[in-house]
Structure formats: C-alpha cells, structure tokens
Amino acid sequence: MGELEEIVGYIAKAGVYLIFAFLIIGSVLLFIEGKGDGRSLQEISSPHSAFNTSEISASIIGGISKGDPISFISLGLMILIAIPVIWIATGIIKYALERNKVYTIVSLIVLFDLLFAIFVIPYLVK
C-alpha cells in the first residue's frame, strides 16, 4: 500500500507548487493591473465590498487565458480545496482495499461532510 501513499505525496507536492504559482501570479498581476474580474483593486480589497468568491465568473480557464488576476487566484484556491478531498478519497480506497470497514465508513462520512460544506452550505447561507 506504500505506492498509493507515494502517489498522494506527489499529488500534494505538485498541488502546493501549483497553488503557490497561481496565487503569486494572480497577486502580482492584480497589483500591476490594479483590477481583476472587471473590478478595481479598491473594490476587491475593501472590507465593505459586496465582491466575494460566489461572484467569480464560472469561466476561470477563460480568465486565465486572458491574464485575469482573479482567475489565477481562484484556480489556486480551488486546487487548495481539492487536495484534502483527494487525500480523503485516496484514504477511502486504501481502507477499502485493506478491508478496514470502520475507517472506510468514517472516511466516507468525512468526505460527504467536506463535499456538503463545499457545494451545499454556500447555497443555504445565501
């Protein structure tokens, strides 16, 4: 089972490098251009701004191809959120292959909770 853990380790390392790259690129572009996603830097950074991540356009890849700073930052944050999901999913596979029912069930519950918090709760809070 060590091979599976090595793969997860490589995914985590690659994820950290990708997150760092996207956040740095996005931040540098944001300060150079002074705007992102059609909003000024002041509007984005103001604590009283109505701008939040739920308003970020669904076309992050399109935004990256246009050099939009907010798209770079958003993709970095999406990767940041995806890494724990990948760890838990890999743990489920590992425990299932080991026939460890308790840890498989606990990991499934944790994965469900995490996905619920990511995809459902934001719509309930609005």
Side-chain angles (χ1 to χ4, degrees), residues 27-86:
S27 297
V28 168
L29 287 173
L30 185 61
F31 286 103
I32 288 172
E33 294 180 14
K35 63 183 172 84
D37 198 35
R39 293 174 166 81
S40 71
L41 180 59
Q42 290 76 23
E43 183 180 358
I44 294 168
S45 62
S46 170
H48 303 291
S49 173
F51 178 71
N52 61 54
T53 55
S54 67
E55 295 179 5
I56 294 173
S57 99
S59 177
I60 291 176
I61 301 301
I64 287 175
S65 67
K66 294 176 185 171
D68 179 54
I70 299 297
S71 295
F72 279 96
I73 294 170
S74 298
L75 186 56
L77 294 175
M78 290 172 82
I79 295 168
L80 180 67
I81 293 168
I83 289 175
V85 173
I86 292 169

Short mmCIF file of all heavy atoms in Angstrom, two decimals, residues 27-86:
data_model
loop_
_atom_site.label_atom_id
_atom_site.label_comp_id
_atom_site.label_asym_id
_atom_site.label_seq_id
_atom_site.Cartn_x
_atom_site.Cartn_y
_atom_site.Cartn_z
N SER A 27 -1.64 37.46 -7.73
CA SER A 27 -1.40 38.63 -6.87
C SER A 27 -0.54 39.68 -7.57
O SER A 27 -0.85 40.88 -7.51
CB SER A 27 -0.72 38.19 -5.57
OG SER A 27 -1.57 37.33 -4.84
N VAL A 28 0.51 39.23 -8.23
CA VAL A 28 1.37 40.17 -8.96
C VAL A 28 0.58 40.87 -10.05
O VAL A 28 0.64 42.10 -10.19
CB VAL A 28 2.62 39.45 -9.52
CG1 VAL A 28 3.37 40.32 -10.50
CG2 VAL A 28 3.53 39.01 -8.39
N LEU A 29 -0.18 40.10 -10.83
CA LEU A 29 -0.99 40.70 -11.90
C LEU A 29 -2.02 41.68 -11.34
O LEU A 29 -2.27 42.73 -11.91
CB LEU A 29 -1.70 39.62 -12.72
CG LEU A 29 -0.83 38.81 -13.66
CD1 LEU A 29 -1.64 37.66 -14.28
CD2 LEU A 29 -0.27 39.69 -14.77
N LEU A 30 -2.61 41.31 -10.20
CA LEU A 30 -3.62 42.18 -9.58
C LEU A 30 -3.03 43.53 -9.20
O LEU A 30 -3.63 44.57 -9.45
CB LEU A 30 -4.21 41.48 -8.34
CG LEU A 30 -5.36 42.19 -7.64
CD1 LEU A 30 -6.55 42.35 -8.57
CD2 LEU A 30 -5.77 41.39 -6.41
N PHE A 31 -1.83 43.52 -8.64
CA PHE A 31 -1.22 44.79 -8.25
C PHE A 31 -0.64 45.55 -9.43
O PHE A 31 -0.64 46.78 -9.44
CB PHE A 31 -0.16 44.57 -7.16
CG PHE A 31 -0.79 44.28 -5.83
CD1 PHE A 31 -0.81 42.99 -5.34
CD2 PHE A 31 -1.38 45.28 -5.09
CE1 PHE A 31 -1.41 42.71 -4.12
CE2 PHE A 31 -1.98 45.03 -3.88
CZ PHE A 31 -2.00 43.73 -3.38
N ILE A 32 -0.20 44.84 -10.47
CA ILE A 32 0.30 45.53 -11.67
C ILE A 32 -0.85 46.19 -12.43
O ILE A 32 -0.78 47.36 -12.80
CB ILE A 32 1.06 44.54 -12.58
CG1 ILE A 32 2.40 44.16 -11.95
CG2 ILE A 32 1.28 45.15 -13.96
CD1 ILE A 32 3.13 43.06 -12.68
N GLU A 33 -1.92 45.41 -12.64
CA GLU A 33 -3.05 45.93 -13.42
C GLU A 33 -3.97 46.82 -12.58
O GLU A 33 -4.69 47.65 -13.12
CB GLU A 33 -3.84 44.77 -14.02
CG GLU A 33 -3.06 43.98 -15.04
CD GLU A 33 -3.87 42.83 -15.62
OE1 GLU A 33 -5.10 42.78 -15.43
OE2 GLU A 33 -3.25 41.98 -16.28
N GLY A 34 -4.02 46.59 -11.29
CA GLY A 34 -4.89 47.38 -10.42
C GLY A 34 -6.34 46.99 -10.52
O GLY A 34 -7.22 47.67 -10.00
N LYS A 35 -6.62 45.87 -11.18
CA LYS A 35 -8.00 45.40 -11.30
C LYS A 35 -8.01 43.91 -11.61
O LYS A 35 -6.99 43.33 -11.99
CB LYS A 35 -8.75 46.14 -12.40
CG LYS A 35 -8.19 45.95 -13.80
CD LYS A 35 -8.94 46.79 -14.81
CE LYS A 35 -8.26 46.76 -16.15
NZ LYS A 35 -8.58 45.63 -16.98
N GLY A 36 -9.16 43.30 -11.43
CA GLY A 36 -9.34 41.89 -11.74
C GLY A 36 -10.81 41.56 -11.83
O GLY A 36 -11.62 42.10 -11.08
N ASP A 37 -11.16 40.73 -12.77
CA ASP A 37 -12.56 40.33 -12.98
C ASP A 37 -13.46 41.55 -13.18
O ASP A 37 -14.60 41.59 -12.74
CB ASP A 37 -13.05 39.46 -11.82
CG ASP A 37 -14.30 38.65 -12.18
OD1 ASP A 37 -14.41 38.22 -13.35
OD2 ASP A 37 -15.16 38.45 -11.29
N GLY A 38 -12.90 42.58 -13.82
CA GLY A 38 -13.67 43.78 -14.12
C GLY A 38 -13.88 44.71 -12.93
O GLY A 38 -14.67 45.65 -13.01
N ARG A 39 -13.20 44.47 -11.83
CA ARG A 39 -13.35 45.30 -10.63
C ARG A 39 -12.01 45.91 -10.26
O ARG A 39 -10.97 45.30 -10.44
CB ARG A 39 -13.88 44.46 -9.48
CG ARG A 39 -15.30 43.98 -9.71
CD ARG A 39 -15.71 43.04 -8.59
NE ARG A 39 -17.11 42.79 -8.55
CZ ARG A 39 -17.75 41.93 -9.32
NH1 ARG A 39 -17.10 41.25 -10.23
NH2 ARG A 39 -19.05 41.74 -9.20
N SER A 40 -12.06 47.09 -9.67
CA SER A 40 -10.83 47.76 -9.26
C SER A 40 -10.24 47.07 -8.03
O SER A 40 -10.95 46.38 -7.30
CB SER A 40 -11.10 49.23 -8.95
OG SER A 40 -11.84 49.33 -7.75
N LEU A 41 -8.97 47.30 -7.82
CA LEU A 41 -8.29 46.75 -6.64
C LEU A 41 -8.94 47.24 -5.36
O LEU A 41 -9.10 46.48 -4.40
CB LEU A 41 -6.80 47.12 -6.68
CG LEU A 41 -5.94 46.61 -5.53
CD1 LEU A 41 -5.98 45.09 -5.44
CD2 LEU A 41 -4.51 47.09 -5.69
N GLN A 42 -9.36 48.51 -5.34
CA GLN A 42 -10.01 49.06 -4.16
C GLN A 42 -11.33 48.34 -3.87
O GLN A 42 -11.66 48.06 -2.72
CB GLN A 42 -10.27 50.57 -4.32
CG GLN A 42 -9.01 51.41 -4.31
CD GLN A 42 -8.23 51.32 -5.63
OE1 GLN A 42 -8.78 51.01 -6.68
NE2 GLN A 42 -6.94 51.59 -5.57
N GLU A 43 -12.09 48.04 -4.93
CA GLU A 43 -13.37 47.35 -4.74
C GLU A 43 -13.14 45.93 -4.24
O GLU A 43 -13.86 45.45 -3.37
CB GLU A 43 -14.16 47.32 -6.05
CG GLU A 43 -15.52 46.68 -5.90
CD GLU A 43 -16.30 46.65 -7.20
OE1 GLU A 43 -15.82 47.15 -8.22
OE2 GLU A 43 -17.40 46.09 -7.19
N ILE A 44 -12.14 45.26 -4.77
CA ILE A 44 -11.85 43.88 -4.37
C ILE A 44 -11.37 43.82 -2.93
O ILE A 44 -11.78 42.96 -2.16
CB ILE A 44 -10.80 43.25 -5.31
CG1 ILE A 44 -11.37 43.10 -6.72
CG2 ILE A 44 -10.31 41.92 -4.78
CD1 ILE A 44 -10.35 42.77 -7.78
N SER A 45 -10.52 44.76 -2.54
CA SER A 45 -9.88 44.70 -1.22
C SER A 45 -10.68 45.36 -0.10
O SER A 45 -10.36 45.20 1.06
CB SER A 45 -8.49 45.31 -1.29
OG SER A 45 -8.57 46.67 -1.64
N SER A 46 -11.71 46.10 -0.42
CA SER A 46 -12.48 46.80 0.60
C SER A 46 -13.25 45.80 1.49
O SER A 46 -13.92 44.91 0.99
CB SER A 46 -13.48 47.75 -0.05
OG SER A 46 -14.38 48.25 0.92
N PRO A 47 -13.18 45.97 2.82
CA PRO A 47 -13.94 45.09 3.70
C PRO A 47 -15.45 45.29 3.57
O PRO A 47 -16.23 44.44 3.97
CB PRO A 47 -13.46 45.46 5.11
CG PRO A 47 -12.76 46.76 4.98
CD PRO A 47 -12.36 46.93 3.56
N HIS A 48 -15.87 46.39 2.97
CA HIS A 48 -17.30 46.68 2.81
C HIS A 48 -17.79 46.34 1.40
O HIS A 48 -18.94 46.61 1.07
CB HIS A 48 -17.58 48.15 3.13
CG HIS A 48 -17.13 48.53 4.49
ND1 HIS A 48 -17.74 48.07 5.64
CD2 HIS A 48 -16.10 49.31 4.92
CE1 HIS A 48 -17.12 48.55 6.69
NE2 HIS A 48 -16.11 49.31 6.28
N SER A 49 -16.93 45.77 0.59
CA SER A 49 -17.28 45.43 -0.78
C SER A 49 -18.24 44.26 -0.82
O SER A 49 -18.15 43.32 -0.03
CB SER A 49 -16.01 45.08 -1.57
OG SER A 49 -16.35 44.61 -2.85
N ALA A 50 -19.15 44.30 -1.77
CA ALA A 50 -20.07 43.18 -1.98
C ALA A 50 -19.41 42.08 -2.80
O ALA A 50 -19.97 41.00 -2.97
CB ALA A 50 -21.33 43.67 -2.69
N PHE A 51 -18.22 42.34 -3.32
CA PHE A 51 -17.50 41.36 -4.12
C PHE A 51 -17.05 40.19 -3.24
O PHE A 51 -16.46 40.37 -2.20
CB PHE A 51 -16.27 42.00 -4.77
CG PHE A 51 -15.45 41.06 -5.59
CD1 PHE A 51 -15.91 40.57 -6.79
CD2 PHE A 51 -14.20 40.65 -5.16
CE1 PHE A 51 -15.16 39.71 -7.55
CE2 PHE A 51 -13.43 39.78 -5.90
CZ PHE A 51 -13.92 39.31 -7.10
N ASN A 52 -17.38 38.97 -3.66
CA ASN A 52 -16.92 37.78 -2.95
C ASN A 52 -16.76 36.64 -3.94
O ASN A 52 -17.09 36.77 -5.12
CB ASN A 52 -17.87 37.41 -1.80
CG ASN A 52 -19.26 37.11 -2.29
OD1 ASN A 52 -19.46 36.28 -3.17
ND2 ASN A 52 -20.25 37.78 -1.71
N THR A 53 -16.28 35.52 -3.46
CA THR A 53 -15.97 34.41 -4.36
C THR A 53 -17.19 33.82 -5.04
O THR A 53 -17.05 33.16 -6.06
CB THR A 53 -15.21 33.30 -3.61
OG1 THR A 53 -15.99 32.90 -2.48
CG2 THR A 53 -13.85 33.76 -3.17
N SER A 54 -18.38 34.03 -4.51
CA SER A 54 -19.56 33.48 -5.17
C SER A 54 -19.87 34.25 -6.46
O SER A 54 -20.64 33.77 -7.28
CB SER A 54 -20.77 33.52 -4.23
OG SER A 54 -21.15 34.85 -3.97
N GLU A 55 -19.26 35.42 -6.62
CA GLU A 55 -19.50 36.21 -7.83
C GLU A 55 -18.44 35.99 -8.90
O GLU A 55 -18.52 36.57 -9.97
CB GLU A 55 -19.51 37.70 -7.47
CG GLU A 55 -20.66 38.09 -6.58
CD GLU A 55 -20.63 39.56 -6.24
OE1 GLU A 55 -19.78 40.29 -6.77
OE2 GLU A 55 -21.47 39.97 -5.44
N ILE A 56 -17.43 35.18 -8.61
CA ILE A 56 -16.37 34.95 -9.59
C ILE A 56 -16.94 34.18 -10.76
O ILE A 56 -17.69 33.22 -10.59
CB ILE A 56 -15.20 34.19 -8.94
CG1 ILE A 56 -14.56 35.07 -7.88
CG2 ILE A 56 -14.18 33.77 -9.98
CD1 ILE A 56 -13.52 34.39 -7.06
N SER A 57 -16.59 34.63 -11.93
CA SER A 57 -17.15 34.02 -13.13
C SER A 57 -16.80 32.55 -13.21
O SER A 57 -15.75 32.11 -12.74
CB SER A 57 -16.67 34.77 -14.37
OG SER A 57 -15.60 34.12 -14.99
N ALA A 58 -17.70 31.79 -13.79
CA ALA A 58 -17.50 30.34 -13.92
C ALA A 58 -16.41 30.01 -14.92
O ALA A 58 -15.93 28.89 -14.96
CB ALA A 58 -18.82 29.68 -14.32
N SER A 59 -16.00 30.97 -15.70
CA SER A 59 -15.01 30.73 -16.74
C SER A 59 -13.61 31.09 -16.26
O SER A 59 -12.98 32.00 -16.78
CB SER A 59 -15.38 31.51 -18.00
OG SER A 59 -14.39 31.32 -18.98
N ILE A 60 -13.13 30.35 -15.29
CA ILE A 60 -11.80 30.62 -14.76
C ILE A 60 -10.73 30.35 -15.81
O ILE A 60 -9.79 31.13 -15.96
CB ILE A 60 -11.56 29.81 -13.47
CG1 ILE A 60 -12.45 30.35 -12.36
CG2 ILE A 60 -10.10 29.84 -13.06
CD1 ILE A 60 -12.38 29.58 -11.08
N ILE A 61 -10.88 29.26 -16.54
CA ILE A 61 -9.88 28.92 -17.56
C ILE A 61 -9.84 30.01 -18.63
O ILE A 61 -8.77 30.43 -19.07
CB ILE A 61 -10.18 27.55 -18.20
CG1 ILE A 61 -10.19 26.45 -17.12
CG2 ILE A 61 -9.18 27.22 -19.29
CD1 ILE A 61 -8.90 26.31 -16.33
N GLY A 62 -11.00 30.51 -19.03
CA GLY A 62 -11.05 31.62 -20.00
C GLY A 62 -10.39 32.86 -19.44
O GLY A 62 -9.69 33.59 -20.15
N GLY A 63 -10.60 33.11 -18.14
CA GLY A 63 -9.98 34.26 -17.49
C GLY A 63 -8.47 34.12 -17.43
O GLY A 63 -7.74 35.10 -17.60
N ILE A 64 -7.99 32.91 -17.20
CA ILE A 64 -6.55 32.69 -17.16
C ILE A 64 -5.94 32.94 -18.53
O ILE A 64 -4.88 33.56 -18.65
CB ILE A 64 -6.22 31.28 -16.64
CG1 ILE A 64 -6.50 31.25 -15.14
CG2 ILE A 64 -4.78 30.88 -16.94
CD1 ILE A 64 -6.34 29.91 -14.50
N SER A 65 -6.62 32.47 -19.57
CA SER A 65 -6.08 32.69 -20.92
C SER A 65 -6.04 34.18 -21.28
O SER A 65 -5.23 34.60 -22.10
CB SER A 65 -6.90 31.91 -21.96
OG SER A 65 -8.21 32.45 -22.06
N LYS A 66 -6.88 34.98 -20.62
CA LYS A 66 -6.87 36.44 -20.85
C LYS A 66 -5.96 37.16 -19.86
O LYS A 66 -5.84 38.38 -19.90
CB LYS A 66 -8.29 36.99 -20.72
CG LYS A 66 -9.23 36.49 -21.79
CD LYS A 66 -10.64 36.99 -21.53
CE LYS A 66 -11.60 36.39 -22.54
NZ LYS A 66 -12.99 36.68 -22.19
N GLY A 67 -5.37 36.41 -18.91
CA GLY A 67 -4.49 37.03 -17.93
C GLY A 67 -5.20 37.70 -16.78
O GLY A 67 -4.65 38.59 -16.15
N ASP A 68 -6.44 37.27 -16.48
CA ASP A 68 -7.20 37.88 -15.39
C ASP A 68 -6.65 37.43 -14.03
O ASP A 68 -6.60 36.24 -13.74
CB ASP A 68 -8.68 37.49 -15.49
CG ASP A 68 -9.49 38.09 -14.35
OD1 ASP A 68 -9.43 39.32 -14.18
OD2 ASP A 68 -10.16 37.32 -13.64
N PRO A 69 -6.21 38.38 -13.20
CA PRO A 69 -5.61 38.03 -11.91
C PRO A 69 -6.53 37.24 -10.99
O PRO A 69 -6.09 36.30 -10.33
CB PRO A 69 -5.29 39.38 -11.29
CG PRO A 69 -5.29 40.37 -12.39
CD PRO A 69 -6.21 39.82 -13.43
N ILE A 70 -7.79 37.60 -10.94
CA ILE A 70 -8.73 36.91 -10.05
C ILE A 70 -8.90 35.45 -10.47
O ILE A 70 -9.06 34.57 -9.63
CB ILE A 70 -10.09 37.65 -10.01
CG1 ILE A 70 -9.92 39.06 -9.47
CG2 ILE A 70 -11.12 36.87 -9.21
CD1 ILE A 70 -9.43 39.13 -8.03
N SER A 71 -8.83 35.17 -11.75
CA SER A 71 -8.93 33.78 -12.23
C SER A 71 -7.74 32.96 -11.76
O SER A 71 -7.90 31.80 -11.37
CB SER A 71 -9.04 33.74 -13.75
OG SER A 71 -10.24 34.34 -14.17
N PHE A 72 -6.54 33.54 -11.79
CA PHE A 72 -5.36 32.84 -11.29
C PHE A 72 -5.51 32.54 -9.80
O PHE A 72 -5.26 31.42 -9.34
CB PHE A 72 -4.09 33.67 -11.52
CG PHE A 72 -3.54 33.57 -12.90
CD1 PHE A 72 -3.84 34.52 -13.85
CD2 PHE A 72 -2.71 32.52 -13.26
CE1 PHE A 72 -3.34 34.43 -15.13
CE2 PHE A 72 -2.20 32.42 -14.54
CZ PHE A 72 -2.51 33.38 -15.48
N ILE A 73 -5.91 33.53 -9.03
CA ILE A 73 -6.08 33.35 -7.59
C ILE A 73 -7.18 32.33 -7.31
O ILE A 73 -7.02 31.45 -6.45
CB ILE A 73 -6.38 34.70 -6.91
CG1 ILE A 73 -5.16 35.62 -7.03
CG2 ILE A 73 -6.79 34.51 -5.45
CD1 ILE A 73 -5.40 37.06 -6.61
N SER A 74 -8.27 32.39 -8.05
CA SER A 74 -9.39 31.45 -7.85
C SER A 74 -8.97 30.02 -8.14
O SER A 74 -9.34 29.10 -7.39
CB SER A 74 -10.56 31.83 -8.74
OG SER A 74 -11.03 33.11 -8.42
N LEU A 75 -8.22 29.82 -9.21
CA LEU A 75 -7.77 28.47 -9.53
C LEU A 75 -6.83 27.95 -8.45
O LEU A 75 -6.92 26.77 -8.05
CB LEU A 75 -7.10 28.42 -10.91
CG LEU A 75 -6.73 27.02 -11.40
CD1 LEU A 75 -7.93 26.10 -11.43
CD2 LEU A 75 -6.08 27.11 -12.77
N GLY A 76 -5.95 28.80 -7.95
CA GLY A 76 -5.08 28.39 -6.85
C GLY A 76 -5.87 27.96 -5.62
O GLY A 76 -5.57 26.94 -4.99
N LEU A 77 -6.92 28.71 -5.31
CA LEU A 77 -7.75 28.36 -4.16
C LEU A 77 -8.55 27.09 -4.40
O LEU A 77 -8.76 26.29 -3.47
CB LEU A 77 -8.68 29.53 -3.82
CG LEU A 77 -7.98 30.79 -3.31
CD1 LEU A 77 -8.98 31.93 -3.13
CD2 LEU A 77 -7.21 30.52 -2.04
N MET A 78 -8.97 26.87 -5.64
CA MET A 78 -9.69 25.63 -5.96
C MET A 78 -8.77 24.41 -5.79
O MET A 78 -9.20 23.37 -5.29
CB MET A 78 -10.25 25.69 -7.38
CG MET A 78 -11.39 26.68 -7.52
SD MET A 78 -11.89 26.91 -9.22
CE MET A 78 -12.94 25.49 -9.44
N ILE A 79 -7.53 24.55 -6.20
CA ILE A 79 -6.56 23.46 -6.00
C ILE A 79 -6.33 23.24 -4.51
O ILE A 79 -6.25 22.09 -4.05
CB ILE A 79 -5.25 23.76 -6.74
CG1 ILE A 79 -5.48 23.80 -8.26
CG2 ILE A 79 -4.18 22.72 -6.40
CD1 ILE A 79 -4.31 24.37 -9.06
N LEU A 80 -6.25 24.32 -3.76
CA LEU A 80 -6.06 24.22 -2.31
C LEU A 80 -7.20 23.43 -1.67
O LEU A 80 -6.97 22.61 -0.78
CB LEU A 80 -5.99 25.63 -1.71
CG LEU A 80 -5.80 25.72 -0.21
CD1 LEU A 80 -4.43 25.20 0.20
CD2 LEU A 80 -5.98 27.16 0.26
N ILE A 81 -8.40 23.65 -2.12
CA ILE A 81 -9.56 22.92 -1.59
C ILE A 81 -9.58 21.48 -2.07
O ILE A 81 -9.99 20.57 -1.35
CB ILE A 81 -10.86 23.65 -1.97
CG1 ILE A 81 -10.93 24.99 -1.24
CG2 ILE A 81 -12.08 22.80 -1.66
CD1 ILE A 81 -12.01 25.92 -1.74
N ALA A 82 -9.10 21.23 -3.29
CA ALA A 82 -9.14 19.89 -3.87
C ALA A 82 -8.18 18.91 -3.19
O ALA A 82 -8.45 17.71 -3.14
CB ALA A 82 -8.84 19.96 -5.36
N ILE A 83 -7.07 19.39 -2.68
CA ILE A 83 -6.06 18.49 -2.10
C ILE A 83 -6.62 17.66 -0.93
O ILE A 83 -6.46 16.44 -0.93
CB ILE A 83 -4.78 19.25 -1.73
CG1 ILE A 83 -4.06 19.66 -3.02
CG2 ILE A 83 -3.86 18.39 -0.88
CD1 ILE A 83 -2.85 20.52 -2.82
N PRO A 84 -7.28 18.25 0.05
CA PRO A 84 -7.85 17.40 1.12
C PRO A 84 -8.89 16.41 0.60
O PRO A 84 -9.00 15.30 1.12
CB PRO A 84 -8.47 18.40 2.09
CG PRO A 84 -7.80 19.69 1.81
CD PRO A 84 -7.43 19.67 0.37
N VAL A 85 -9.65 16.82 -0.41
CA VAL A 85 -10.64 15.91 -0.99
C VAL A 85 -9.92 14.71 -1.59
O VAL A 85 -10.35 13.55 -1.42
CB VAL A 85 -11.51 16.64 -2.04
CG1 VAL A 85 -12.43 15.66 -2.76
CG2 VAL A 85 -12.32 17.75 -1.37
N ILE A 86 -8.82 14.95 -2.29
CA ILE A 86 -8.05 13.86 -2.88
C ILE A 86 -7.46 12.96 -1.79
O ILE A 86 -7.48 11.73 -1.91
CB ILE A 86 -6.94 14.42 -3.80
CG1 ILE A 86 -7.56 15.08 -5.02
CG2 ILE A 86 -5.96 13.33 -4.22
CD1 ILE A 86 -6.58 15.90 -5.84
#
